[in-house]
Amino acid sequence: MELKTLVGEPWADYGLVDCGHGRKLERYGRFRFVRPEPQALWAPASTDWRFDGEFVPGSDEDGGGRWVFGNPTPRDGWTLGWDAVRFTAQTTPFRHLGFFPDMAPVWSWIREQTAGTDAPTLMNLFGYTGVGTLAMAASGAQMVHVDASKKSVEAARANAALSGMTDLPVRWIIDDAAKFVAREVRRERRYDGILLDPPKYGRGPDGEIWRLEEDLPGLIANCRQLLDADSRFLFLTVYAVRMSALAIGEMLKQAFADLPGTVEAGELAVREEARGLALPTAIWARWSR
C-alpha cells in the first residue's frame, strides 16, 4: 500500500508559523502560542519567537503540564473561523486549543466525496467540539455527532450557535461511541459516510473504558456494517500512539474487502509558514467509493 500525505495549508485564522527543537509556534487568530512537538526534529527558522503563551509539559508520560502566559489571553476563548464555520478557541489543560487544525484537509476531502449527493447522512464519532461536524453540515450533510463528553457536546452546540447553524440537521449525541455504533447496527441503520477520530484512551459517560489498540478493530467492523456499496467513505485518524499508517490501512483493507472502492493510508501534516516544510501530526486510513 502506497502511503500518502495530507497537508493542511495555513488559513486566515490559523497557521504554523515556525517549528523546531521539539517545539512549534502557531497563530490562532490574533494570539500566538508555543506547544511541545516531538516530531519537530530539525532546527527552527528563527530563535526569536514572540508569543502570548506556552504549554510547558510535565514530567509524566501521560501528557500533563501547564500553560504559562506572557500576555493577557481570554480564558473563556475567542472566535475563529474555517470557511463558514465559527468556533471558540481557548487554551485547554490538554495542551490543544479546542480544535485540531490539521483536520482541515480531511473536512475538504469529505466535502469532495459527498459532492453531488443529496443530503448525505454522515456520522462524526468522537466529534469533540463539532468543528468538523459543522463543516460537513454546512455543505448539506445530515449529521450525527457523537461524543462521550457532555462538556464537548455543549461546546459543539455553542459553536453551532456561533456559526448561525442551529437550524441545520445535526443530532447531538452524548454517548459511548462503540456502544452507540453497536446499537445503530442492531437498528439496521445505514450511513453515507463516517468520520472517526478515536483517542488513545478514554471513558464513556457511564464509565466505559476505551483502549485504542484493543477496541478499534471491533469498532471498525461495526462501522463497516453501517455502510454499503452506495456509501461514500470512512475516514479514520489516529494520534499519539505507537501504531503505523500501514497497520490501520491494512485493517481497513480487510474490513472493507467485500465493498467496491479504494483503501488508502498515510500521514496528516501541517505546512509551516516560515519555510514551507510539512510537520507530521497524525496517521490516517480511509475507504472511499
Side-chain angles (χ1 to χ4, degrees), residues 196-265:
L196 62 162
D197 180 22
K200 178 180 179 180
Y201 176 86
R203 287 185 179 273
D206 296 321
E208 304 92 339
I209 295 178
W210 165 268
R211 293 185 178 89
L212 185 76
E213 290 87 347
E214 298 175 12
D215 299 323
L216 182 60
L219 176 60
I220 292 296
N222 277 339
C223 285
R224 160 63 191 88
Q225 297 304 309
L226 300 178
L227 303 169
D228 58 26
D230 293 323
S231 299
R232 308 302 299 183
F233 72 90
L234 178 139
F235 202 110
L236 164 69
T237 58
V238 175
Y239 290 79
V241 293
R242 296 182 180 90
M243 191 180 292
S244 75
L246 185 60
I248 62 174
E250 293 294 353
M251 177 185 63
L252 286 197
K253 195 173 180 180
Q254 183 180 70
F256 286 82
D258 61 329
L259 285 187
T262 304
V263 172
E264 300 170 297

Side-chain angles (χ1 to χ4, degrees), residues 122-129 133 143-149 152-153 156 170-181 183-184 191 195-197 205:
L122 310 181
M123 179 158 55
N124 188 5
L125 292 172
F126 311 96
Y128 193 39
T129 57
T133 295
M143 295 302 305
V144 176
H145 174 104
V146 184
D147 199 285
S149 167
S152 292
V153 174
V170 180
R171 292 175 59 203
W172 305 104
I173 308 293
I174 303 170
D175 203 349
D176 176 78
K179 284 188 173 181
F180 179 79
V181 169
R183 286 197 298 274
E184 291 290 86
Y191 287 82
L195 170 64
L196 62 162
D197 180 22

Side-chain angles (χ1 to χ4, degrees), residues 29-170:
R30 65 187 186 276
F31 300 106
R32 291 188 172 203
F33 299 96
V34 173
R35 295 189 290 159
E37 183 45 75
Q39 300 273 32
L41 302 174
W42 45 80
S46 170
T47 56
D48 183 23
W49 285 5
R50 301 178 186 276
F51 50 88
D52 300 287
E54 178 176 8
F55 188 88
V56 179
S59 58
D60 63 321
E61 295 183 357
D62 295 326
R66 62 191 178 90
W67 286 96
V68 177
F69 298 95
N71 296 310
T73 305
R75 297 299 186 266
D76 56 351
W78 60 99
T79 301
L80 299 182
W82 183 85
D83 196 53
V85 182
R86 297 294 175 265
F87 54 93
T88 297
Q90 62 185 133
T91 53
T92 74
F94 312 106
R95 83 176 55 193
H96 56 76
L97 284 96
F99 76 108
F100 299 101
D102 56 342
M103 288 293 291
V106 178
W107 306 330
S108 296
W109 180 85
I110 289 173
R111 286 181 167 187
E112 293 172 0
Q113 300 307 304
T114 56
T117 304
D118 185 29
T121 301
L122 310 181
M123 179 158 55
N124 188 5
L125 292 172
F126 311 96
Y128 193 39
T129 57
V131 182
T133 295
L134 296 173
M136 291 180 276
S139 65
Q142 301 181 75
M143 295 302 305
V144 176
H145 174 104
V146 184
D147 199 285
S149 167
K150 180 180 179 181
K151 184 176 180 180
S152 292
V153 174
E154 288 175 348
R157 286 178 172 273
N159 285 334
L162 192 62
S163 301
M165 298 181 181
T166 54
D167 293 336
L168 293 183
V170 180

Side-chain angles (χ1 to χ4, degrees), residues 258-274:
D258 61 329
L259 285 187
T262 304
V263 172
E264 300 170 297
E267 295 193 14
L268 286 182
V270 177
R271 183 85 64 201
E272 184 204 70
E273 294 179 324

